[in-house]
Amino acid sequence: MITSQTRARFESLQQLLSSMSSVCIGYSGGVDSVFLTAAAVDVLGGGRVVAVTGISAAVPSVQREVARECARRLGVEHVELHTAELDDERYTANPTNRCYFCKTELWGRLRVFAQQRKLALVLDGSNADDAHDYRPGRQAANEHGVRSPLLEAGLTKAEIRLLSRERGLPTWDQPAAPCLSSRLPYGIAVTPQRLRQVEAAEALLRAHGLREFRVRHHGDAARVEVAPAEFEHAFAAAAELNAGLRTLGFGSVLLDVEGYRRGALNEGLALVQLATAEAARE
Amino acid sequence: MSSRDLRVPAVCALLQRAAIPFAAVRTAGHADEIAVIETEAALLSRLARLAPEIKALGFRYVTLDLGGMSTRHA
């Protein structure tokens, strides 16, 4: 249910947007950036909004298609920009602040694009809940002067989903869709081959009707996280999933008993940082 | 035998105390951070409840081997 507090926060968002002359939105096609783009188009009109998606091997193809389709439905100009974070060794080393280097690349390119197109501001879809999670990419956004209207308005993810559903956006119940590099444990190099492996593995799970999951790349092993509500579904397809992921090059296919949970690779982060430092010294 | 190797028999002992039948326990991952248990799918919820204790033995993740898991489930 949409509360009066949520309405007030939405009005605050609209007021923020109305103060902007034109915007370039970092648009992934996820719940937040689609909602922000829709709100911006409603307030500013399509002529003053450009949605820009960064494209690289770390972006799942399925997410790219969602971004395109949603932009088409919103009637907003949609641009895809190639980003080169995989050419940056600081990124491919996959440190715990990997996202800082990715977002530095992304926001750097969007700033240049915005200047070329004479768009006044660059926006991102960060929301109020993001302030409580480990988000090294936020530093890059701050350094590039990126505004976060959803965060500034105090809108939470849950509120954004409710308002998205009210607005008729198809992304209102879309699961989170982070980049494919998030499937690799910190300290394990991000390579195009590993990214292709996890993308193909997740496509296989999707083809079997699973909806909320991650395939984590642990070298020879694929550790599969499935939402607990979908465990029975995963069991029923166990033989096919095991065989299918093995053909992708994984030696073993493992089901995490605790199920899918966001930020699982951040669990025990202090210990991970220590282990990464120790490995670097070897 | 290194301290890391003692984790597997410790997990086996834990499973036996919990009366959870299993075929094998091994490790996986770049740093052997994953505990891999071969048992029936129907026992997953019981394993999930034991996960904190298994992790306390030195693992980051607790998993079922899909290849070694019976497709019979409750």
Side-chain angles (χ1 to χ4, degrees):
Chain A
M1 191 181 88
I2 296 177
T3 65
S4 57
Q5 181 180 62
T6 301
R7 289 277 177 224
R9 288 172 176 171
F10 182 55
E11 286 171 15
S12 177
L13 171 68
Q14 293 175 310
Q15 286 167 7
L16 277 168
L17 290 169
S18 67
S19 71
M20 300 171 184
S21 58
S22 57
V23 298
C24 167
I25 299 177
Y27 172 80
S28 65
V31 177
D32 300 325
S33 62
V34 169
F35 176 74
L36 175 62
T37 301
V41 170
D42 289 345
V43 171
L44 299 175
R48 294 195 283 161
V49 179
V50 180
V52 181
T53 302
I55 299 296
S56 73
V59 177
S61 299
V62 64
Q63 189 58 36
R64 191 172 171 178
E65 291 304 317
V66 169
R68 288 173 173 170
E69 175 58 22
C70 289
R72 187 190 66 76
R73 292 192 191 195
L74 291 174
V76 67
E77 181 182 354
H78 180 215
V79 174
E80 294 183 343
L81 279 185
H82 172 73
T83 57
E85 66 272 19
L86 268 84
D87 294 337
D88 186 345
E89 289 180 351
R90 296 170 303 173
Y91 173 87
T92 59
N94 200 8
T96 55
N97 65 340
R98 177 195 70 235
C99 295
Y100 171 77
F101 301 107
C102 172
K103 295 303 187 192
T104 293
E105 165 69 4
L106 175 68
W107 298 128
R109 289 192 186 265
L110 260 66
R111 279 279 301 272
V112 169
F113 174 83
Q115 286 164 0
Q116 290 170 343
R117 292 288 303 270
K118 295 182 171 50
L119 298 164
L121 290 168
V122 177
L123 309 182
D124 80 355
S126 295
N127 64 59
D129 291 334
D130 294 332
H132 307 299
D133 196 6
Y134 176 63
R135 295 261 170 173
R138 276 240 51 84
Q139 180 184 346
N142 293 339
E143 290 174 358
H144 286 79
V146 175
R147 293 276 301 273
S148 307
L150 302 177
L151 174 62
E152 292 177 42
L155 282 164
T156 65
K157 190 66 161 225
E159 290 175 321
I160 291 165
R161 289 189 183 278
L162 286 172
L163 291 166
S164 293
R165 184 168 58 178
E166 182 182 70
R167 174 67 170 68
L169 299 174
T171 47
W172 74 271
D173 64 344
Q174 181 176 285
C179 77
L180 295 170
S181 297
S182 67
R183 314 304 195 265
L184 276 62
Y186 296 127
I188 304 306
V190 177
T191 66
Q193 182 199 17
R194 285 175 176 152
L195 295 177
R196 283 194 295 270
Q197 267 187 297
V198 293
E199 182 167 26
E202 294 193 349
L204 188 67
L205 268 69
R206 197 172 294 114
H208 278 84
L210 292 164
R211 199 161 178 271
E212 208 166 355
F213 55 81
R214 294 287 183 269
V215 176
R216 309 288 186 185
H217 196 305
H218 288 269
D220 189 57
R223 180 174 59 84
V224 180
E225 295 178 10
V226 172
E230 296 190 295
F231 273 150
E232 287 293 322
H233 194 150
F235 295 154
E240 293 91 338
L241 294 178
N242 184 61
L245 266 64
R246 281 176 176 265
T247 63
L248 295 173
F250 291 108
S252 59
V253 182
L254 314 174
L255 182 67
D256 195 305
V257 302
E258 294 183 284
Y260 167 60
R261 52 207 183 280
R262 285 188 66 205
L265 288 177
N266 288 339
E267 290 171 7
L269 192 57
L271 292 175
V272 172
Q273 288 170 320
L274 178 61
T276 302
E278 288 177 349
R281 283 195 289 271
E282 288 176 3
Chain B
M1 182 181 280
S2 70
S3 61
R4 179 171 285 182
D5 297 329
L6 294 176
R7 294 179 302 164
V8 171
V11 172
C12 293
L14 189 64
L15 294 172
Q16 286 164 349
R17 284 197 300 275
I20 294 178
F22 61 95
V25 175
R26 59 183 173 82
T27 66
H30 298 93
D32 294 316
E33 71 273 28
I34 305 173
V36 184
I37 301 162
E38 292 187 23
T39 188
E40 294 183 17
L43 298 171
L44 183 139
S45 60
R46 292 178 63 190
L47 271 182
R49 288 194 290 274
L50 267 187
E53 290 181 65
I54 296 174
K55 287 181 171 181
L57 293 172
F59 293 101
R60 289 193 69 204
Y61 308 103
V62 180
T63 65
L64 289 182
D65 186 337
L66 275 191
M69 186 174 71
S70 166
T71 55
R72 289 183 295 114
H73 54 275

